[in-house]
Amino acid sequence: MCWNRQKESVKPTHPLVSIVDDDESVSQSLPDLLRELGFSAQAFSSAEEFLASDRVSWTACLLLDVALPGMSGPDLLRELRVRGLQIPIIFITAQTGETLRQRLLEQGAVACLFKPFSESALLKALKSALQTS
């Protein structure tokens, strides 16, 4: 990862994409792909772990699983909004259905990708998310 030291904080030099997904294969492979695409990336296994981190304020976009142990993805989206944080969110989920996608978009998500998704679909969603931030 590329990091710059500024005061007491550490800020990524490329847009930071945080990933919150309890699926170990996703949390291990997705950061590598994102780095290849020119982003900084950090994976978290739960919403609570993400909220407790110092990365929340640096996150340019959040890739967020819908179904998580503890706080769900939609619950995390609501918590971020309550805190006044407008981080663009792309939901990633193994659940399928246009009803689910529509509900997530209505709640404020920029996109909803169904697993498995292509690199091009991810890149398109990221570009859209970063234009809205």
Side-chain angles (χ1 to χ4, degrees), residues 17-85:
V17 178
S18 292
I19 304 129
V20 179
D21 198 314
D22 62 323
D23 182 333
E24 194 172 317
S25 64
V26 172
S27 63
Q28 289 181 355
S29 63
L30 206 46
D32 291 337
L33 174 61
L34 290 166
R35 288 182 196 108
E36 287 177 20
L37 295 172
F39 300 96
S40 294
Q42 177 75 45
F44 301 90
S45 61
S46 71
E48 293 85 356
E49 181 185 1
F50 173 69
L51 287 172
S53 78
D54 64 350
R55 297 291 171 228
V56 175
S57 62
W58 302 124
T59 297
C61 182
L62 182 59
L63 294 178
L64 180 57
D65 192 7
V66 172
L68 294 165
M71 182 183 286
S72 72
D75 289 342
L76 176 56
L77 180 150
R78 284 187 289 279
E79 178 62 25
L80 292 170
R81 298 309 184 248
V82 165
R83 294 181 183 197
L85 300 170

